[in-house]
């Protein structure tokens, strides 16, 4: 199992609009694709800077191939809607996470599908 994480840097005056879009549009459409599951929203608890708040949005993904399929067939549509709503006012970046067990033997933890 993997986690698809996107971190957003949101200006404080846009937080209401951003969270509304996230909850009522993006999360629903992302999950409807069948590839992304169990959406979670986290507020990043850093010291406030530049009147911005960071949010991490995470989905569980069964396989990397599933993520590739989601990116190939669905990501562009959702990104276009994001751009339509927020343009370049909200910065974001995505990462893929894989849990590394604390007590597991040392192994090569490179990405595999």
């Amino acid at each position: 199992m993997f986690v698809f994480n996107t971190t957003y840097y949101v200006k404080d005056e846009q937080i209401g609009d951003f969270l509304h879009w996230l909850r009522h549009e993006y999360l629903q459409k992302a999950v409807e694709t069948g590839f992304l599951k169990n959406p979670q929203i986290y507020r990043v608890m850093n010291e406030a800077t530049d009147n911005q708040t960071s949010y991490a949005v995470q989905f569980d993904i069964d396989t990397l191939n599933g993520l590739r399929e989601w990116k190939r067939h669905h990501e562009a549509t959702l990104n276009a809607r994001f751009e339509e709503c927020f343009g370049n006012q909200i910065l974001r970046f995505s990462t893929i996470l894989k849990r590394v067990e604390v007590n597991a033997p040392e192994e090569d933890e490179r990405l595999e599908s």
Side-chain angles (χ1 to χ4, degrees):
M1 169 114 26
F2 299 90
V3 173
F4 179 55
N5 176 83
T6 303
T7 301
Y8 297 87
Y9 298 98
V10 183
K11 294 177 184 173
D12 288 346
E13 65 268 13
Q14 294 179 300
I15 289 173
D17 291 339
F18 171 74
L19 290 175
H20 181 32
W21 169 83
L22 196 61
R23 290 176 175 137
H24 300 283
E25 190 169 336
Y26 179 73
L27 297 180
Q28 291 177 348
K29 289 181 180 178
V31 170
E32 285 173 3
T33 68
F35 293 104
L36 305 181
K37 301 174 184 177
N38 304 320
Q40 299 288 318
I41 304 170
Y42 297 92
R43 181 174 170 211
V44 179
M45 301 302 291
N46 292 355
E47 288 190 32
T49 57
D50 299 329
N51 299 316
Q52 291 185 347
T53 302
S54 299
Y55 291 90
V57 178
Q58 298 182 348
F59 296 93
D60 292 340
I61 312 162
D62 292 330
T63 67
L64 291 178
N65 284 335
L67 180 61
R68 288 183 196 105
E69 286 298 307
W70 179 82
K71 286 178 164 287
R72 185 175 301 125
H73 299 291
H74 303 284
E75 185 178 43
T77 302
L78 293 172
N79 283 344
R81 180 67 180 137
F82 175 86
E83 295 295 328
E84 182 181 312
C85 292
F86 302 106
N88 61 359
Q89 297 175 21
I90 296 177
L91 301 176
R92 62 191 166 155
F93 70 91
S94 295
T95 53
I96 303 166
L97 309 172
K98 179 183 178 195
R99 182 185 306 244
V100 177
E101 296 299 329
V102 173
N103 296 316
E106 285 74 20
E107 296 176 4
D108 185 358
E109 285 289 339
R110 295 183 194 152
L111 285 181
E112 73 279 346
S113 50

